[in-house]
Amino acid sequence: MSIKIKNVSKKIKREQVLDRVTLTFNEGHIYGITGRNGSGKTMLLKTICGFVVPDDGEVIVDGENIFKTSGFPKDTRAMFDSSNYLNDLSGYENLELLASIQNKITKKEIDETLEQVKLTTEKNKKFGKYSLGMKQKVGIAQVLMEDPKIMIFDEPFNGLDDNSAKNIRKILKKKKEEGKIIIIATHVKEDIENLCDIIYRMDKGKVVKN
Amino acid sequence: MKYESLKYKLLRSFAINKTRLFLLLLMLTLVLVFRFSYNFAGDYSMYYYIISGIAKTNINFLNVSMIVSYNIFIVCLSIELCITYKKISYNLLPRLSSKKIFNNMYGENLILISIYSLFFYLLCSLLVGFQEFNFLTLLLIVLKNIYISTIAITLYEFFKKYYVILMALIIILPIYFNYISLIYITDFNVQLKGVVILLFNIILYSISYFNRRYLYEYKD
């Protein structure tokens, strides 16, 4: 499996947010995308997920141009803003709600994922009462729980303490060994320096260095 | 279909929200204020119309406040449901197609609006001792509320930065629509009004359906 981005461009209100981006992501690797705020990292990740339709170019996942088929890549999970959950449900209930859509995993597997990200003790607390770090853990667990082939994370280490960040890095390395494609965007390069196999830097919508 | 379970859970989460309970209490207070300040003079049907957010005759400040509050309440419910869906769409989308998400949202909106419309109609009926209780009127009210909530969902993306305009449109349109249909077209019977509003609903639903990317596409 691979993700091929070919000459992808996107303009929003006269601003070129993605400028002829061409990249390839292969399985069994962790990729990092860095760059300052507004450089186009999140926009690139959203384009890979099919949330943003580019003005030009193609996104080919597993040989299929996603915008000519379903619009969304198969077997992909993504973590964007950590507040994209229902505040009135607990962290566990939020995950259970999402897992119930495809019914691929059991409640035990949700519990195991929460255990992995070290959120078991707070799993029944309402999401709205979580700290930023806990919310991030729910977001990470949401990506991990159904064991998808492609995992996309936007700023996953924001708000995590050192031990939690270390634990997440360890989990992601294990997933890489299982042959997953993992893409992480962050504005703090140090967060991913020892984790990623390849790091791309973005500026003004362009990939400027790798 | 597996996604059926989503409907129930989201609705449950939606129903227990504090803001919504506050709005509901506010509406109930208004209903009671209206009930005890209005001189019926034997015309209970007018009370039903006004309490249901439809203008008929004798428009005064209290009537208009009631109509506007009722319509704002209905619109807020739908917009909030839409915002909730938009909020969690990034997590739903890899698991569910955008068509199913939209249909789910619309289905939930129908249930929600129907329940609230029924609740208020029954409450109003109870307050006036079930005088002139009428199933056709109830159906018309439910359809009218679905109509204004569909306007809200359809226009949400276009007008979210101009919320005041959106609100004004939503409040004015149904009043205007009902004002014309109920006063000037006197031979326009309830069933026909129902059919017209149903057609409006279908048109608005179609517009909204084809524009469903607003639920997740980045626009700012």
Side-chain angles (χ1 to χ4, degrees):
Chain A
M1 185 180 244
S2 68
I3 304 169
K4 285 180 181 155
I5 300 168
K6 290 183 183 171
N7 273 317
V8 163
S9 296
K10 178 81 182 174
K11 212 178 224 180
I12 293 175
K13 286 184 186 167
R14 293 181 200 165
E15 197 191 334
Q16 196 73 44
V17 287
L18 290 176
D19 192 358
R20 286 164 288 154
V21 177
T22 299
L23 289 172
T24 301
F25 302 100
N26 292 312
E27 58 185 31
H29 289 81
I30 302 180
Y31 295 89
I33 298 170
T34 62
R36 52 192 176 76
N37 294 336
S39 59
K41 307 181 297 288
T42 305
M43 195 56 69
L44 179 66
L45 296 191
K46 285 185 178 174
T47 309
I48 297 171
C49 293
F51 298 153
V52 170
V53 182
D55 301 327
D56 284 308
E58 293 176 329
V59 175
I60 297 164
V61 180
D62 213 10
E64 275 183 9
N65 182 344
I66 60 163
F67 297 108
K68 284 189 177 163
T69 52
S70 61
F72 304 100
K74 283 177 202 157
D75 215 0
T76 303
R77 296 290 179 263
M79 171 204 171
F80 287 100
D81 191 344
S82 59
S83 62
N84 291 340
Y85 296 87
L86 299 169
N87 287 334
D88 298 318
L89 298 185
S90 69
Y92 178 83
E93 283 171 326
N94 265 292
L95 295 181
E96 198 191 14
L97 172 84
L98 293 170
S100 72
I101 297 170
Q102 293 193 337
N103 230 1
K104 279 185 189 170
I105 54 166
T106 59
K107 289 182 178 181
K108 196 183 159 213
E109 284 166 295
I110 302 173
D111 274 326
E112 282 169 1
T113 314
L114 286 168
E115 175 71 47
Q116 264 189 312
V117 299
K118 314 259 184 254
L119 198 67
T120 309
T121 45
E122 294 94 0
K123 72 170 190 174
N124 293 322
K125 211 167 148 182
K126 288 208 170 159
F127 185 82
K129 297 201 170 158
Y130 279 174
S131 66
L132 175 62
M134 289 175 192
K135 287 180 178 175
Q136 291 287 93
K137 286 181 184 177
V138 173
I140 294 165
Q142 179 266 126
V143 174
L144 297 173
M145 67 179 178
E146 286 159 312
D147 202 27
K149 283 184 186 158
I150 302 169
M151 299 180 182
I152 291 170
F153 299 93
D154 188 17
E155 306 282 0
F157 302 108
N158 272 4
L160 290 185
D161 58 62
D162 288 346
N163 282 341
S164 302
K166 205 173 157 186
N167 177 44
I168 300 300
R169 284 192 196 98
K170 203 172 126 192
I171 296 169
L172 295 180
K173 278 182 184 168
K174 204 177 154 214
K175 291 287 172 191
K176 169 191 145 178
E177 282 157 22
E178 290 170 13
K180 314 288 182 192
I181 301 176
I182 301 165
I183 308 172
I184 303 165
T186 175
H187 65 283
V188 187
K189 201 179 169 188
E190 292 72 39
D191 278 347
I192 53 167
E193 258 175 346
N194 298 322
L195 175 70
C196 296
D197 302 302
I198 299 167
I199 298 176
Y200 297 109
R201 190 164 74 81
M202 290 192 74
D203 189 32
K204 293 175 186 166
K206 284 184 180 173
V207 176
V208 289
K209 199 179 161 191
N210 64 319
Chain B
M1 280 180 278
K2 300 271 170 20
Y3 71 90
E4 286 300 327
S5 56
L6 184 69
K7 201 177 279 181
Y8 163 72
K9 284 177 187 166
L10 267 184
L11 208 59
R12 190 192 65 172
S13 146
F14 204 72
I16 55 171
N17 182 292
K18 278 178 199 159
T19 323
R20 218 156 294 108
L21 281 175
F22 171 75
L23 274 171
L24 185 66
L25 283 174
L26 191 72
M27 276 304 296
L28 288 176
T29 314
L30 271 167
V31 167
L32 289 171
V33 168
F34 192 81
R35 168 69 183 93
F36 293 109
S37 359
Y38 193 76
N39 177 17
F40 291 107
D43 185 6
Y44 291 105
S45 62
M46 191 208 286
Y47 175 70
Y48 274 115
Y49 280 123
I50 292 165
I51 213 84
S52 312
I54 301 173
K56 196 188 173 191
T57 50
N58 288 357
I59 290 178
N60 61 37
F61 179 72
L62 191 60
N63 298 354
V64 172
S65 317
M66 192 64 217
I67 293 162
V68 168
S69 313
Y70 185 91
N71 288 334
I72 287 178
F73 176 73
I74 296 291
V75 165
C76 285
L77 278 181
S78 296
I79 296 269
E80 214 186 327
L81 185 70
C82 205
I83 290 169
T84 307
Y85 264 92
K86 200 171 169 71
K87 186 180 172 187
I88 61 168
S89 64
Y90 287 155
N91 300 329
L92 294 177
L93 267 166
R95 299 171 168 94
L96 210 57
S97 73
S98 62
K99 284 180 188 176
K100 282 181 182 169
I101 294 176
F102 182 84
N103 286 334
N104 222 328
M105 180 182 82
Y106 200 82
E108 264 183 50
N109 186 54
L110 288 187
I111 297 170
L112 199 68
I113 298 301
S114 304
I115 290 172
Y116 275 106
S117 307
L118 181 69
F119 172 75
F120 276 115
Y121 191 75
L122 288 177
L123 182 80
C124 297
S125 303
L126 185 74
L127 284 172
V128 293
F130 286 93
Q131 296 281 333
E132 297 192 31
F133 180 88
N134 185 329
F135 281 107
L136 271 179
T137 309
L138 171 62
L139 186 67
L140 186 69
I141 289 163
V142 171
L143 281 176
K144 188 272 299 179
N145 287 342
I146 292 169
Y147 163 68
I148 59 167
S149 71
T150 315
I151 297 178
I153 292 174
T154 310
L155 297 181
Y156 169 72
E157 176 62 11
F158 300 115
F159 286 102
K160 65 181 174 190
K161 281 187 186 160
Y162 310 99
Y163 212 73
V164 179
I165 301 173
L166 170 70
M167 280 295 178
L169 267 174
I170 286 160
I171 294 156
I172 293 163
L173 277 178
I175 293 175
Y176 183 71
F177 178 80
N178 288 289
Y179 189 74
I180 288 174
S181 64
L182 289 164
I183 296 172
Y184 292 116
I185 313 171
T186 45
D187 56 349
F188 206 50
N189 65 35
V190 174
Q191 288 99 317
L192 208 56
K193 271 175 221 147
V195 173
V196 172
I197 300 178
L198 193 63
L199 277 174
F200 269 104
N201 279 333
I202 293 167
I203 293 165
L204 285 167
Y205 169 79
S206 308
I207 296 169
S208 196
Y209 179 82
F210 290 111
N211 187 42
R212 65 182 181 278
R213 284 192 73 90
Y214 71 83
L215 279 176
Y216 57 90
E217 199 169 37
Y218 185 85
K219 283 271 177 65
D220 292 333

